[in-house]
């Protein structure tokens, strides 16, 4: 059901708000921020405390663009090479560019503190909205975005406590569906191979995994998690360790196609027949999953659809039309010969 959600604030925290909170005049606050050397240390500390408490960010464009409507949207991603990032960006562009909006891309390199600094730099520039390809933020980032009256949309995965809007994949449901499919095909000693991912995605994978196995009264203990990045070499290196710990394993669920294909290549090297001796499934439906031998059973993640829907939701929000604060875009299974 469509829902129109009110803005979280009636306006930005102003210089006057800071002055009132600190018990000084607006000119004093302006002087402390612009030329702090002209203000006493005691007064400067008092004003800085008020700025931090209220979450005030000076609008650097206010003097020249006070009556202008911004058409710039900031998008911060962990890495530009992050799986799905390009497709989400393309989906956003497909919707927002014809409407006159431009997307400014920046990467946090998987550091929440760097995301915080980027937002502190970008927010004062009169943004129309912010798009975040993550749901792990510092408290300062959350506070700043809650105090700043622009639409904020977290994309990629459904999260428990969104800042404002959230559109993405329910990784719990996707992993549950994949694991249930492996169980339905008769496998009983199933393992899960994980690699370095954002913690909130790992947690969703594990919840879906446990839910599927426990519902069938099967043990979910066969889990190997490595700090290495999800890659072909990591999958190949971790398979022997996995089979050494649990030699009875008859099916291996991998949290990425790269891990799965690396394990598949290692099976070929060791002359382990897939899926006769060991079934392998992946996550992502990358190009390699379709051409490896045997082709990989995997989960198709609708990243471009997420970008398109996020763009539509932002436009609706910006034009005061009906919109949904949280939307889950379902993933689908691609059933192939590896399971």
């Amino acid at each position: 059901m469509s829902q129109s959600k009110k803005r979280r604030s009636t306006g930005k925290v102003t210089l006057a708000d800071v002055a009132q909170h600190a018990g000084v005049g607006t000119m004093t606050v302006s002087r402390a921020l612009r030329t702090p050397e002209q203000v006493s240390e005691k007064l400067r500390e008092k004003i800085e405390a008020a700025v931090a408490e209220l979450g005030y960010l000076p609008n650097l464009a206010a003097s020249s663009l006070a009556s202008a409507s911004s058409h710039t949207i900031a998008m911060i991603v962990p890495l530009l090479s992050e799986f799905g990032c390009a497709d989400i960006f393309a989906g956003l562009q497909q919707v927002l560019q014809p409407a006159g909006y431009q997307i400014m891309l920046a990467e946090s390199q998987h550091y929440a503190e760097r995301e915080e600094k980027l937002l502190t730099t970008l927010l004062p520039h009169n943004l129309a909205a912010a798009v975040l390809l993550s749901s792990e933020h510092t408290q300062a980032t959350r506070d700043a975005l809650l105090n700043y009256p622009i639409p904020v949309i977290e994309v990629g995965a459904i999260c428990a406590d969104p800042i404002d809007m959230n559109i993405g994949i329910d990784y719990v449901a996707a992993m549950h569906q994949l694991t249930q499919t492996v169980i339905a095909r008769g496998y009983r000693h199933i393992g899960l191979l994980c690699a370095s991912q954002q913690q909130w995605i790992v947690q969703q994978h594990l919840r879906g995994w446990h839910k599927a196995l426990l519902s069938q009264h099967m043990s979910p203990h066969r889990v190997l998690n490595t700090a290495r990045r999800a890659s072909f070499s990591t999958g190949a290196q971790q398979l022997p360790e996995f089979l050494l710990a649990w030699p009875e394993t008859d099916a291996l669920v991998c949290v990425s196609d790269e891990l799965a294909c690396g394990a598949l290549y290692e099976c070929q090297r060791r002359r382990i027949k897939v899926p006769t001796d060991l079934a392998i499934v992946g996550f992502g439906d990358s190009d390699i999953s379709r051409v490896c031998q045997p082709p990989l059973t995997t989960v198709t993640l609708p990243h471009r659809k997420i970008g398109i829907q996020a763009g539509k939701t932002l436009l609706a929000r910006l034009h005061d039309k009906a919109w949904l604060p949280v939307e889950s875009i379902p993933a689908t299974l691609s059933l192939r010969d590896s399971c």
Side-chain angles (χ1 to χ4, degrees):
M1 179 177 179
S2 292
Q3 173 183 343
S4 290
K5 184 177 177 182
K6 292 183 178 179
R7 297 289 175 95
R8 295 154 288 141
S9 171
T10 56
K12 300 174 184 177
V13 177
T14 65
L15 202 70
D17 295 329
V18 175
Q20 184 179 6
H21 193 79
V24 298
T26 55
M27 288 298 294
T28 303
V29 175
S30 179
R31 188 180 303 113
L33 296 177
R34 292 175 181 273
T35 53
E37 67 276 3
Q38 295 183 15
V39 180
S40 69
E41 183 177 350
K42 183 177 179 180
L43 188 56
R44 187 168 66 248
E45 289 176 354
K46 188 176 182 180
I47 291 170
E48 287 173 352
V51 167
E53 187 173 342
L54 295 177
Y56 173 72
L57 289 168
N59 189 345
L60 302 179
S63 59
S64 60
L65 297 175
S67 61
S69 176
S70 172
H71 282 72
T72 300
I73 294 172
M75 181 177 180
I76 300 181
V77 302
L79 286 173
L80 295 174
S81 59
E82 190 86 2
F83 179 66
C85 175
D87 285 336
I88 291 175
F89 177 73
L92 281 164
Q93 285 278 77
Q94 180 179 328
V95 175
L96 295 173
Q97 199 167 45
Y101 291 90
Q102 299 297 325
I103 301 175
M104 183 191 309
L105 264 176
E107 62 175 18
S108 65
Q109 297 181 337
H110 284 286
Y111 290 105
E113 293 77 14
R114 184 164 295 179
E115 179 189 66
E116 178 186 325
K117 290 181 180 179
L118 284 168
L119 283 167
T120 300
T121 301
L122 294 172
L123 282 175
H125 289 276
N126 201 25
L127 297 175
V131 179
L132 307 176
L133 187 58
S134 174
S135 67
E136 291 182 330
H137 317 291
T138 65
Q139 190 58 48
T141 293
R142 294 185 67 88
D143 291 344
L145 291 171
L146 286 168
N147 284 321
Y148 218 77
I150 61 171
V152 178
I153 186 164
E154 292 163 285
V155 298
I158 294 298
C159 54
D161 184 26
I163 295 171
D164 184 11
M165 300 182 290
N166 180 209
I167 295 178
I169 301 153
D170 185 341
Y171 279 87
V172 177
M175 178 56 77
H176 180 258
Q177 184 184 16
L178 177 62
T179 308
Q180 273 194 322
T181 298
V182 175
I183 295 170
R185 295 199 166 190
Y187 299 97
R188 289 296 176 266
H189 306 290
I190 307 170
L192 177 66
L193 180 57
C194 304
S196 178
Q197 288 183 303
Q198 295 183 69
Q199 188 58 35
W200 50 285
I201 294 182
V202 172
Q203 290 172 350
Q204 290 195 26
H205 279 312
L206 289 173
R207 283 172 55 199
W209 162 260
H210 281 89
K211 181 180 176 182
L213 289 173
L214 293 177
S215 68
Q216 299 298 318
H217 308 289
M218 298 170 66
S219 174
H221 74 281
R222 299 181 193 89
V223 177
L224 182 60
N225 191 9
T226 176
R228 299 170 184 160
R229 69 184 185 89
S231 65
F232 300 124
S233 59
T234 300
Q237 291 165 6
Q238 293 302 299
L239 180 69
E241 185 175 337
F242 202 106
L243 295 179
L244 182 63
W246 300 289
E248 75 280 7
T249 302
D250 58 5
L252 184 62
V253 177
C254 301
V255 298
S256 80
D257 286 347
E258 288 76 16
L259 280 177
C261 287
L264 183 64
Y265 296 149
E266 183 63 14
C267 283
Q268 293 171 353
R269 194 180 74 82
R270 290 171 172 260
R271 298 183 181 177
I272 298 172
K273 296 179 181 178
V274 179
T276 307
D277 300 329
L278 178 68
I280 297 178
V281 299
F283 214 97
D285 195 21
S286 60
D287 286 342
I288 190 67
S289 70
R290 303 175 197 126
V291 298
C292 60
Q293 288 298 321
L296 193 66
T297 289
T298 185
V299 175
T300 302
L301 303 178
H303 289 120
R304 192 178 185 96
K305 287 183 181 179
I306 290 171
I308 290 171
Q309 190 56 46
K312 290 178 179 178
T313 300
L314 277 177
L315 280 185
R317 175 77 173 272
L318 290 166
H319 293 91
D320 295 320
K321 296 180 180 179
W323 53 279
L324 289 172
V326 177
E327 293 184 67
S328 176
I329 309 297
T332 57
L333 282 181
S334 295
L335 302 174
R336 302 189 182 114
D337 295 341
S338 69
C339 177

